[in-house]
Amino acid sequence: AYDQIVQKDYRDLLSRYNIDVDKIDEEQEEIFPEVQLKEGVKDWLNTLNEVELPVVVMSNLNSAQLDTILEATGLSSYFPPDKRVSSDNNYSDRSEYLGAALRVEQRPEKCVVFDNTPIAATVAHDVTMKCVSLVDHYARYELLTADFSVQDLRDINLVSLNKLFDERNDMDLELELDMYSGLKKEDRKVKTDFYDDDR
């Protein structure tokens, strides 16, 4: 079954990273399924590179496995070795995210996590990061903890990404301005039976 999934080039990559393809048993087949990029991934990474937004990849794979996957998908040029966080770094969930922020030299509240699991959004918010969830293995209603979710990376652009960091809260009351003077309107006190003139 494994030979049907892994193509020759992919097998060569595995052997280059000292992974013995012949000794991979049934349980380890899940580690190296056929790797396919979601549509729009490279376009999105190119967009981020054009505006010089730094990116990091985080994975539960060890560094050799992560390197293999990045090579096989053609993403290794987007994520140089110093921009990769793998299980070899021995981070906990939260510190893994903080380690990624350190690699791009950004404060956590200025970082966005792209993931497809509900727990990723929870952990990202625990360390003050934003989260965009990709609807994939989980339904959209299971990803409600994310700041927003998209079906496809083609559904997101720099404007929507920027809105994540908009400090204005739509629930905040805006100042009511007098149309003619540009000054804040004085709220008139309404007299009631309980009105006290001393206030």
Side-chain angles (χ1 to χ4, degrees), residues 118 135 138-145 149:
V135 179
Y138 293 91
R140 190 178 297 268
Y141 69 86
E142 294 179 281
L143 301 170
L144 294 176
T145 53
S149 57

Side-chain angles (χ1 to χ4, degrees), residues 36-52:
Q36 294 180 357
L37 282 180
K38 288 185 73 87
E39 288 192 37
V41 170
K42 284 190 177 180
D43 292 336
W44 179 241
L45 289 170
N46 287 330
T47 300
L48 295 176
N49 278 340
E50 285 174 17
V51 295
E52 298 178 2

Side-chain angles (χ1 to χ4, degrees), residues 2-150:
Y2 190 72
D3 290 333
Q4 294 171 354
I5 296 173
V6 180
Q7 301 167 348
K8 183 182 183 311
D9 292 341
Y10 191 60
R11 292 175 66 87
D12 292 341
L13 278 173
L14 291 175
S15 61
R16 186 184 326 161
Y17 289 100
N18 298 324
I19 299 170
D20 189 358
V21 179
D22 297 327
K23 291 187 179 178
I24 295 177
D25 61 14
E26 298 271 279
E27 292 176 20
Q28 290 176 316
E29 280 188 22
E30 295 176 9
I31 296 174
F32 297 107
E34 184 176 351
V35 179
Q36 294 180 357
L37 282 180
K38 288 185 73 87
E39 288 192 37
V41 170
K42 284 190 177 180
D43 292 336
W44 179 241
L45 289 170
N46 287 330
T47 300
L48 295 176
N49 278 340
E50 285 174 17
V51 295
E52 298 178 2
L53 282 175
V55 293
V56 171
V57 63
M58 293 186 312
S59 175
N60 292 325
L61 299 173
N62 66 40
S63 60
Q65 294 167 338
L66 178 58
D67 293 346
T68 302
I69 297 295
L70 292 175
E71 285 285 335
T73 55
L75 295 179
S76 59
S77 62
Y78 295 98
F79 303 103
D82 64 323
K83 301 290 192 259
R84 300 175 189 179
V85 177
S86 67
S87 64
D88 292 346
N89 298 115
N90 296 319
Y91 288 135
S92 67
D93 284 343
R94 285 174 179 75
S95 59
E96 180 180 52
Y97 285 57
L98 296 173
L102 285 172
R103 281 174 169 72
V104 291
E105 300 175 357
Q106 295 292 323
R107 294 172 55 133
E109 62 268 18
K110 297 296 181 188
C111 296
V112 180
V113 174
F114 289 85
D115 204 303
N116 61 355
T117 61
I119 191 67
T122 304
V123 174
H125 290 151
D126 284 348
V127 295
T128 70
M129 292 181 175
K130 306 293 184 187
C131 183
V132 175
S133 286
L134 300 167
V135 179
D136 190 9
H137 299 296
Y138 293 91
R140 190 178 297 268
Y141 69 86
E142 294 179 281
L143 301 170
L144 294 176
T145 53
D147 293 290
F148 68 88
S149 57
V150 292

Side-chain angles (χ1 to χ4, degrees), residues 143-175:
L143 301 170
L144 294 176
T145 53
D147 293 290
F148 68 88
S149 57
V150 292
Q151 190 72 36
D152 194 301
L153 280 174
R154 293 173 294 186
D155 298 336
I156 190 170
N157 57 37
L158 292 174
V159 173
S160 56
L161 190 64
N162 194 37
K163 284 183 182 179
L164 284 174
F165 298 101
D166 188 359
E167 294 297 322
R168 185 179 66 85
N169 184 347
D170 291 332
M171 299 304 289
D172 291 342
L173 296 175
E174 295 181 10
L175 291 177

